[in-house]
Amino acid sequence: MNNVFGNKRAVLVFVGPALLVYSAVMLVPVLWSLGYTFFTGSVITGFKFAGFDNFTKLLSDPKAGDALLFTLKYAVILTVGQVLVGYALSLLYVFWLRKASSLVRTLVFFPIVLPTVAVSLLFQKMFEVAPQNGIVNEFLNLFGIASVDWFGSADTAFLVLVIMDIWRSMGFYAVLLYAGLLDIPEEVMESARLDGAGGLTLIRRIVIPLSLPVLLSSIIFSINGTLKVFDSVLALTNGGPGSSTTPLTLLMFRTAFSYGDYGYGSTIALALTLICLLVTIFIFRSSRRDLTKA
Amino acid sequence: MTVTASAPARVSSSANAARPVRRRRRMTPRRALDVTLKTLVIGLLLAVTVLPLIWLLLGSLKTQTEWLNNPSWALPENFLNFENYATAWVDGDIGRYILNSALATFPSLALIVVLGVAAGFALEVLVWRGRGGVLLLFLAGIMVPGQMILLPLFSAYFQTHLTGTIWPLILTYTATGLPLTVFMMATYFRAVPREIFEAAAIDGASIYRSFWSIGFPMVQNAVFTVALVQFFFIWNDLLIALTFTSVGDYQTIQVGLLNFTGQFGAVQYGPTFAAIAINVVGILALYLFLNQRVMRGLTAGSVKG
């Protein structure tokens, strides 16, 4: 039987093609990209060796600093927002709506499957101020509040971006966390109730600690996704006004394709990858320490 | 597939507790308040999710004069005015963009499924040295941001004269889809009892036969779920499509839509709304049809961390 399962040729036949495509189109380019960080230029203009210039440039470039700050700000605010709103919804589903929640779950989930570009363009029109007020401004006018030029200033543009992305993802995180809440053993809940825990105490003392693992994986997933934000920014604000809503991903894209500097672009991409890695490890580590303490 | 499949077990006990109250037929003020509050919250939640889409669909039926002269919340004067859709489809070339998206998406999906299922099978059912390492290698790919591979790929496609064809899209989508697919398929194959494959081997089935007649049919459902998840990723992708279709005629629907507003955006409301609606409605129909599977697939794909 070992002949059947240990058949070397079969291994090659089954895993070989996938490994080949994966290596050629992902692993090799990652290494190649590392090589680019020591060069300047592009495939069209030709490359020139630049030593560590790209790295020193990255550290002193105010644009890169702004983009990094924006990326971190967006990632932190959106991760907190997504997971909090998602968690609130999932608690709502489990403890309040109960059986009635399936339809609500299904409907609130759907924005995540819609194309980001389409959603962004829709939100652009919803928050529009000229030549026509979108429904958001019309709604504000209803209460006597003057129309706001949402995409005219950095803060309001950022706000619209956050609102849109939470709208898109809250149902997804709700379902993700809902599955975790269902895993809490019924006996634990029941005995806590018998001991007199109700409402908020039950949630604070039993539900939150017991759903910590799934909360943690949601946070890691969310932060990894939000650090790489690209589609929604490009389609909604295109980085503007000015470059006030430009994350690292968009800066990298512009550097490489508008200014034709693959070397610096790759350096930014590398920085982004390292940040993702560090943040993931950091969250993982700090959570483990907390768990052993408790 | 029922929607209530995963209703929590604890629901029954609390529902029982509430029943005597309901039997009295007359609502106590407390219960009435509870019901009102619930209805309000559900209503608000659904309004927030669904209203933007309704506004989109209504907006796609309004003419340019209606857009400019009436407030943006006004209903269309003629609910059967599909002119905007015709404009988007013919002048906006939406039909061609959708065709391009299909040309990129479905071959990629086929490749992802074939390669990913086979690799998952080899990594979980076959016994060989280094399979743990290879699985880790695939897993590492989930973490890598797309930006990391774009530039080398752009150079490579440029030098092999693939730029401007559909191949850069198919190759890149296949490779970026593989890590998650391999990982998910390995997980699904783990759930299949080994004894089944061993029994087949004793009966004289070769490993290829085992895969084709036993392994693949047993994970068929999972394969469909995985393919569905990848479909959404690829169809909705902007980064890769934007990078590799800047030249040539293979712009996907997402890139096309982005350019579409560039062309008409500020001036032509109706066609823009119709173009967005075309892009949204198809995906929405697919979701409504397969919602439980999509929800399960997408959330399963995220636990990878």
Side-chain angles (χ1 to χ4, degrees):
Chain A
M1 201 185 303
N2 279 342
N3 282 345
V4 177
F5 293 114
N7 183 342
K8 290 261 159 50
R9 231 187 50 205
V11 170
L12 205 66
V13 168
F14 281 122
V15 86
L19 200 58
L20 187 76
V21 173
Y22 174 64
S23 306
V25 186
M26 277 196 85
L27 295 182
V28 173
V30 167
L31 299 177
W32 194 342
S33 183
L34 291 180
Y36 272 166
T37 57
F38 297 105
F39 288 87
T40 175
S42 78
V43 67
I44 294 146
T45 61
F47 290 99
K48 250 181 27 206
F49 187 72
F52 285 97
D53 281 5
N54 286 324
F55 293 95
T56 46
K57 187 177 172 193
L58 183 69
L59 292 177
S60 59
D61 183 3
K63 266 198 208 156
D66 289 346
L68 176 66
L69 271 183
F70 178 80
T71 303
L72 294 178
K73 185 170 98 172
Y74 173 85
V76 168
I77 292 181
L78 212 70
T79 298
V80 170
Q82 277 176 341
V83 176
L84 267 188
V85 176
Y87 198 54
L89 283 179
S90 69
L91 289 174
L92 197 80
Y93 294 164
V94 175
F95 295 108
W96 207 42
L97 298 183
R98 305 206 177 107
K99 275 192 176 143
S101 81
S102 59
L103 180 68
V104 181
R105 259 192 344 251
T106 310
L107 280 175
V108 180
F109 186 89
F110 83 83
I112 195 79
V113 302
L114 300 181
T116 319
V117 178
V119 173
S120 303
L121 297 180
L122 176 61
F123 268 68
Q124 233 174 40
K125 292 285 173 264
M126 276 168 61
F127 284 84
E128 193 173 63
V129 66
Q132 256 301 336
N133 260 341
I135 38 170
V136 174
N137 275 332
E138 289 283 356
F139 186 73
L140 290 180
N141 290 349
L142 213 63
F143 296 96
I145 305 168
S147 300
V148 178
D149 182 7
W150 293 96
F151 299 105
S153 88
D155 289 336
T156 47
F158 181 70
L159 186 67
V160 176
L161 185 65
V162 169
I163 291 174
M164 180 182 91
D165 278 336
I166 289 182
W167 181 80
R168 265 170 23 86
S169 58
M170 62 182 183
F172 171 79
Y173 283 94
V175 169
L176 194 66
L177 292 160
Y178 174 80
L181 288 182
L182 291 185
D183 287 342
I184 298 176
E186 174 58 18
E187 302 84 64
V188 178
M189 299 290 293
E190 203 52 51
S191 60
R193 275 204 200 95
L194 286 176
D195 286 345
L200 285 178
T201 325
L202 194 72
I203 288 178
R204 218 176 49 150
R205 292 292 164 84
I206 307 285
V207 177
I208 292 182
L210 283 180
S211 53
L212 214 54
V214 66
L215 264 177
L216 187 72
S217 59
S218 309
I219 290 175
I220 293 181
F221 180 68
S222 168
I223 201 124
N224 265 309
T226 48
L227 283 172
K228 295 172 198 162
V229 61
F230 179 79
D231 303 17
S232 43
V233 176
L234 181 71
L236 186 73
T237 67
N238 198 12
S243 62
S244 54
T245 57
T246 305
L248 284 173
T249 48
L250 191 57
L251 180 68
M252 175 266 163
F253 196 82
R254 294 258 159 83
T255 309
F257 295 113
S258 307
Y259 303 110
D261 191 347
Y262 282 24
Y264 191 43
S266 292
T267 315
I268 300 173
L270 177 65
L272 180 71
T273 310
L274 290 179
I275 292 170
C276 287
L277 208 66
L278 284 177
V279 168
T280 307
I281 293 171
F282 176 75
I283 297 175
F284 225 66
R285 277 278 168 81
S286 58
S287 70
R288 193 168 291 168
R289 205 177 304 138
D290 277 355
L291 285 180
T292 49
K293 222 187 274 171
Chain B
M1 202 168 299
T2 56
V3 191
T4 49
S6 52
R10 77 178 65 92
V11 158
S12 54
S13 65
S14 19
N16 281 339
R19 198 153 297 150
V21 182
R22 205 178 297 154
R23 213 173 282 150
R24 254 186 271 149
R25 286 264 161 163
R26 239 188 30 206
M27 279 191 179
T28 58
R30 206 194 142 95
R31 201 181 141 66
L33 184 75
D34 192 51
V35 169
T36 326
L37 214 60
K38 253 182 217 184
T39 320
L40 266 177
V41 169
I42 297 179
L44 189 71
L45 207 55
L46 294 188
V48 166
T49 357
V50 179
L51 275 184
L53 285 195
I54 294 178
W55 188 63
L56 169 71
L57 293 179
L58 291 178
S60 70
L61 300 175
K62 294 200 268 188
T63 62
Q64 186 71 359
T65 11
E66 285 179 75
W67 264 112
L68 293 177
N69 296 335
N70 300 343
S72 56
W73 44 262
L75 294 176
E77 279 159 18
N78 175 6
F79 277 94
L80 294 174
N81 169 28
F82 291 109
E83 235 168 76
N84 292 326
Y85 286 88
T87 313
W89 194 266
V90 178
D91 299 346
D93 248 358
I94 292 295
R96 188 173 57 92
Y97 294 135
I98 288 181
L99 183 68
N100 287 343
S101 270
L103 280 177
T105 306
F106 292 108
S108 312
L109 274 185
L111 279 171
I112 289 177
V113 165
V114 171
L115 299 180
V117 174
F121 181 78
L123 287 166
E124 205 43 54
V125 179
L126 296 183
V127 185
W128 45 290
R129 256 182 39 182
R131 63 176 181 165
V134 171
L135 187 61
L136 266 181
L137 202 64
F138 275 113
L139 269 180
I142 297 177
M143 279 284 297
V144 176
Q147 277 80 4
M148 213 40 203
I149 60 169
L150 280 188
L151 301 177
L153 285 179
F154 193 88
S155 304
Y157 295 141
F158 183 78
Q159 272 153 0
T160 49
H161 303 290
L162 289 177
T163 311
T165 68
I166 195 86
W167 286 104
L169 289 184
I170 295 179
L171 283 172
T172 317
Y173 285 140
T174 306
T176 48
L178 272 177
L180 186 59
T181 309
V182 170
F183 174 68
M184 283 172 86
M185 288 322 301
T187 321
Y188 288 124
F189 273 119
R190 198 169 302 151
V192 178
R194 263 201 94 74
E195 290 76 25
I196 295 179
F197 296 111
E198 283 166 4
I202 290 171
D203 288 347
S206 74
I207 195 69
Y208 306 104
R209 177 84 205 262
S210 237
F211 173 70
W212 191 244
S213 305
I214 300 168
F216 193 76
M218 286 198 79
V219 293
Q220 228 169 26
N221 247 331
V223 170
F224 185 67
T225 308
V226 168
L228 201 61
V229 170
Q230 292 298 335
F231 170 81
F232 284 115
F233 286 162
I234 299 175
W235 189 269
N236 294 347
D237 165 78
L238 179 64
L239 179 66
I240 292 169
L242 200 59
T243 309
F244 297 123
T245 58
S246 52
V247 269
D249 305 320
Y250 285 104
Q251 269 140 10
T252 64
I253 173 79
Q254 310 308 339
V255 178
L257 196 60
L258 205 60
N259 294 341
F260 189 87
T261 40
Q263 261 171 300
F264 299 102
V267 208
Q268 304 247 340
Y269 281 93
T272 306
F273 271 65
I276 302 173
I278 292 172
N279 196 0
V280 162
V281 166
I283 294 285
L284 197 61
L286 186 67
Y287 172 70
L288 290 180
F289 190 58
L290 296 165
N291 61 74
Q292 289 305 304
R293 207 184 262 275
V294 176
M295 284 161 83
R296 225 179 313 123
L298 280 179
T299 46
S302 74
V303 188
K304 68 201 184 183

